[in-house]
Structures are given as C-alpha cells and as structure tokens.
Amino acid sequence: MEKYVIKGGNQLQGEVSISGAKNAAVAILPAALLSDEPVIIENIPSISDIDWSIKILMRLGAEVKMLNRTTLRIDPRRLTGHQVDYDLAKNMRASYYFLGALLGKIGVADVSLPGGCDLGTRPIDQHLKGFAALNASDSVEGGMVHLETDHLTGGRIYFDMVTVGGTANVMMAACKADGLTIIENAAKEPHIVDLANFLNSMGADIMGAGTDVIKIRGVEHLHGTQYSIIPDQIEAGTFMVIAAATGGNVLIRGVIPKHLESITVKLQKMGVTVEEYDDSVRVIGSGKLQKANIKTMPYPGFPTDMQPQISTLLTLAEGTSIVTESIFDSRFKYVDQLRRMGADISVDGKVAVIQGVGRLKGAPVKANDLRAGAAMIIAGLAAEGVTEIEDIHYIERGYDAIEKKLRSLGADIRKITIPEEARELAR
Ligand code: EPU
C-alpha cells in the first residue's frame, strides 16, 4: 500500500506539460476495435485506467503493442471474444465502452456492469435506450449486460439527461449501423469531439459532435488510422488550481485554452491571474483569494470533475462560497477529509457552503476517489505542515506521473510504501 507525504507551503514555479485526456483515451481504445485494420494512437496518458483498458483489449483477442511511452498500436483483426468479465470491468467506469464497440463490431457484447469512482448512483439506462433504438436487445443477468442484434440499424435517440458515456457509446455502435442515427441532447464535452474525430479518421461519417445534435451515417468498413489524443482538460485544470492554491507561478503547457474557459473565468473571479497563449496558460496566484459561487454543469459549463479541486481552493479564500453539484448525487464525500485539515464546509444534499478559513493544516487523510484525491493533494500543498494521503491508487487511475510533475515545480511530495500491518493497526 502506498501513500503520498506532502510538506505544504512551497510556492510552485516553473512549467508543466499536460498528458493526453483520460476520458478521451478510455473511449478511443475500445473504439479502435471497430477498425478492420491496425490503428496507432498517440498521446496516451500513463495511468492505471489505460492499463485496464489494454488488459480488456488483449483478453478480447486484440493485439496491443506500446510503441513508446505514449503511443499504442492496436490490431483488432483477430478478435476472439465478446465478453468482459467482472474481474476487469470492476476496475473502471469506462469498461462500459466495450458495449458500444463490440455491438458495432460483431453485433454481440457481454460486459459486466462497470466499476469506477463511487459518486452516487450511476445507471446506464440511457446507454441501453440508445442501443435499443439501434435495434439491439439487452438483458442483465448476474451483473452482466448482454447486448445482441441481428442487424444494427440507425435510429433516433433523445437522451433524458446529458450523458457523456451514453453519447460516446451510441456514437460508436451507430458508426456501423445501417442508415442514419440522430442523437439529441448529446454531450458536448471535448472528449466526445475527440472520439468523433478519431472515428471519422477511420472513415466514419459523424457530424455535429460538440453540439447537442449528433448525426451519424453508418458505414460498412472502418480503416486504420494514426491519431493523437487531445490534452486532458481536467489535469490542466487541476494544475491551474494547484498554482493558485500555492500562490505560485506556473506555465501549463500543451493545453487547449478554450477547453479551460469555465475554469479560467472562475479563477479570475477569485483574483487569480490567468494568461492564455496558443497552447498554454500561465497561472499566477498572488494576493488574497476571493469567494466565488460554482455550479457544475455539462460542457461548456463548469466540470463536475473539477468540483473537489475548486472547492478546496475556496476553503483558502475570503468569505462564503456556495458550490452546487448538479451532475452526481454524491460528490462531496471528500469534505470530511478537508474538515480534518481545518476547512469549514457544510453540505446539504448537492450544495456545499464553504466558509473560507485562509489556511489549512496538514493531517492524515485519504483519497475517496480520483478527483477527491486530487483535492487532497491541493490541500496538502497549500497547508501548513505535513499531509499524508492514503488510497492513492485512485489518483493514479487518472493523473499521469503527478508526483514527478509536482516535484519538478518545487513541491515537497514523496510516495512511500506502508506495510500492510501498519495500515491495519491504524484502522
Ligand atoms: N446517467 C443516468 N443514466 C445513464 C447515464 C448517466 O442516469 O444511462 C446520469 C448519471 O448518473 C449522472 C449524469 O447522468 O448523474 C451524467 O453522467 P454521465 O453519463 O455524463 O457520466 P459518465 O459517463 O458516467 C463521464 C466521465 C466522468 C465525468 C462524467 C461527467 C468517463 C469515463 N467518465 O462519466 O469522469 O464525471 O462523464 O462529465 O468519461 C472522472 O474523470 O473523474 C469522472 C468521474
């Protein structure tokens, strides 16, 4: 078992490069199965969710080869299976993308209901509704989702809510369906556009990705491609908050500033300087932080995946801030951990009221999930004294080399291994 030990108080300075987007990569890897030829995917982040995706691809019979640290070649020509069992699916939410990919490729899929961060109930009813509109039947037995079709046909889908996973999944299957599919109330996140661009680069015919109506005309064959994944919006946003929280001055390189706008605007409102360049942003955290109200919304709104990080920053601000989580039922679990560090936050359902305390104090805490873990790192870097973060495997699901990147900016962070007995005694 490993944990991070952080000695807070250093103002982070320098430059950091952002890795490929997790939530694009975990969709693009399964989507590669739809190709009839090998594909090369560049700018893959080194995170455990990708390791799990590769294991699933290999279990299904795809040939997967890392060409270098960030480039992967996937040859899906000798697919032998259509089943993703619980032992693999439980490790990440994105295992649900094998439903759409396998359905599109061979018309049948058996995928165990997905795991991933516990953010409250996370049903996949909208995904199934979408597959049904494409003429696929579904059943769930023993936690396994079974999809089947004798002939995938285009259809019209109106999602009851904006769903990233549902939009991406239906888009994948619809690429190979006979005729036109129209998705209404589609998600507009940058990773949806990236997936559409990837599929189009293989010969798919997708229009409108990035708007709330996506039209997909099915094609018979998809061919090989070489494609580079977009930079990770949330990793970039997390480093922006880190720079602000430590009163630092950090150039965050290899980003698409447009994807960061909702974060930039809130940081500026809080008194943080954000300078935008073509493919980088500089964040300078000088002076006192001001309160702000935040409501998470689908893109282009403020991302739920940045909510724990910005809430942590608001604990350091002057005044009372209100944060409303409108995407997930239960994304404030990390608040108990921040309270251990001196934060003054009360939560009522989906609303948190944050009374700024100016300074946090180091404490032993744990990462409840991926972004909650990022929030603990931010808190630890800004706090007086030492913070120890347990359950960092959550953080490693989605942040590529975070400890190394932080150290290069002057952070005092170390990863240490705790013997299992010590952990048991501490319970
Ligand atoms: N929803 C349903 N039914 C469905 C699908 C979604 O009720 O069939 C609800 C969800 O319960 C939630 C809302 O709709 O309340 C939005 O869920 P969405 O489907 O958009 O989320 P997701 O696909 O499960 C992805 C990201 C999450 C990110 C959300 C929202 C991946 C692998 N995961 O999840 O990323 O928070 O979109 O942007 O892309 C993270 O990276 O930390 C993370 C949790």
Side-chain angles (χ1 to χ4, degrees):
M1 213 46 80
E2 292 173 314
K3 66 179 172 182
Y4 288 137
V5 179
I6 300 174
K7 189 155 172 289
N10 293 2
Q11 292 185 321
L12 301 203
Q13 311 271 345
E15 297 184 7
V16 64
S17 290
I18 295 306
S19 301
K22 166 181 97 80
N23 287 345
V26 295
I28 285 175
L29 263 59
L33 290 179
L34 291 162
S35 172
D36 296 325
E37 293 168 0
V39 300
I40 292 178
I41 307 167
E42 299 167 343
N43 206 25
I44 304 257
S46 250
I47 52 176
S48 62
D49 269 15
I50 292 298
D51 300 340
W52 288 114
S53 304
I54 293 174
K55 284 191 182 116
I56 297 175
L57 285 167
M58 291 171 75
R59 176 95 55 100
L60 291 169
E63 204 182 290
V64 185
K65 200 169 165 203
M66 265 338 265
L67 301 183
N68 59 47
R69 187 180 181 270
T70 56
T71 307
L72 199 62
R73 180 181 186 275
I74 301 175
D75 183 347
R77 283 176 297 187
R78 275 183 290 277
L79 210 63
T80 49
H82 61 265
Q83 185 158 326
V84 181
D85 290 319
Y86 180 68
D87 66 320
L88 290 176
K90 69 177 181 193
N91 299 297
M92 58 170 202
R93 184 81 193 149
S95 48
Y96 56 32
Y97 286 137
F98 287 92
L99 285 167
L102 287 166
L103 184 67
K105 176 84 174 184
I106 49 176
V108 58
D110 283 290
V111 179
S112 182
L113 280 164
C117 290
D118 177 9
L119 312 174
T121 48
R122 296 179 77 179
I124 59 161
D125 57 304
Q126 299 299 306
H127 304 226
L128 299 183
K129 178 172 111 170
F131 296 138
L134 303 182
N135 189 38
S137 64
D138 65 79
S139 58
V140 182
E141 218 180 294
M144 187 70 106
V145 183
H146 174 73
L147 294 179
E148 197 177 333
T149 184
D150 49 10
H151 185 61
L152 213 53
T153 50
R156 201 180 187 103
I157 298 115
Y158 186 96
F159 283 126
D160 295 349
M161 75 286 294
V162 177
T163 157
V164 169
T167 303
N169 235 339
V170 171
M171 215 158 72
M172 285 187 215
C175 279
K176 298 294 294 293
D178 200 357
L180 181 70
T181 296
I182 301 178
I183 306 176
E184 290 183 81
N185 199 22
K188 296 182 278 205
E189 267 65 9
H191 32 288
I192 294 291
V193 179
D194 207 35
L195 173 65
N197 288 341
F198 169 71
L199 290 165
N200 282 343
S201 77
M202 298 197 297
D205 184 359
I206 303 174
M207 288 156 297
T211 75
D212 47 22
V213 181
I214 302 180
K215 295 184 179 164
I216 306 138
R217 194 168 287 284
V219 296
E220 195 113 335
H221 295 289
L222 292 176
H223 54 73
T225 183
Q226 181 155 355
Y227 189 84
S228 183
I229 289 173
I230 51 165
D232 196 302
Q233 173 203 22
I234 305 300
E235 187 198 8
T238 302
F239 274 100
M240 291 170 82
V241 172
I242 286 170
T246 61
N249 181 336
V250 179
L251 184 69
I252 300 158
R253 294 164 56 106
V255 302
I256 300 174
K258 174 133 192 49
H259 294 169
L260 304 173
E261 244 158 40
S262 62
I263 303 162
T264 299
V265 166
K266 284 298 170 187
L267 288 177
Q268 286 171 334
K269 170 108 195 344
M270 292 179 71
V272 177
T273 302
V274 183
E275 295 166 3
E276 284 184 11
Y277 303 99
D278 286 348
D279 62 355
S280 59
V281 289
R282 180 178 290 284
V283 179
I284 306 168
S286 51
K288 283 210 165 8
L289 292 165
Q290 305 303 318
K291 65 179 182 172
N293 294 336
I294 312 266
K295 184 171 184 183
T296 63
M297 299 286 276
Y299 189 82
F302 191 89
T304 173
D305 293 345
M306 281 300 299
Q307 183 263 101
Q309 301 90 313
I310 200 94
S311 297
T312 304
L313 188 64
L314 290 169
T315 66
L316 308 173
E318 278 190 343
T320 308
S321 304
I322 296 178
V323 176
T324 308
E325 171 57 57
S326 65
I327 308 292
F328 289 110
D329 296 340
S330 179
R331 208 168 196 178
F332 283 121
K333 286 192 201 137
Y334 65 90
V335 160
D336 279 342
Q337 306 298 315
L338 284 183
R339 286 197 191 111
R340 296 167 59 80
M341 300 179 71
D344 180 351
I345 308 178
S346 57
V347 177
D348 186 2
K350 290 183 161 193
V351 179
V353 178
I354 303 173
Q355 191 65 57
V357 291
R359 204 111 178 99
L360 296 172
K361 290 227 163 78
V365 292
K366 64 176 182 183
N368 291 109
D369 61 59
L370 167 59
R371 308 304 172 188
M376 292 308 119
I377 290 185
I378 294 163
L381 292 170
E384 276 169 23
V386 175
T387 297
E388 298 193 355
I389 308 173
E390 280 191 7
D391 291 339
I392 61 169
H393 58 95
Y394 282 114
I395 302 171
E396 293 176 348
R397 285 190 41 200
Y399 286 94
D400 184 353
I402 190 159
E403 180 206 350
K404 194 164 149 221
K405 290 186 184 185
L406 286 171
R407 268 210 307 272
S408 79
L409 295 173
D412 187 341
I413 177 170
R414 279 175 305 131
K415 183 152 87 173
I416 61 164
T417 304
I418 6 171
E420 197 51 42
E421 319 82 77
R423 197 177 145 83
E424 286 305 320
L425 281 173
R427 279 177 204 272

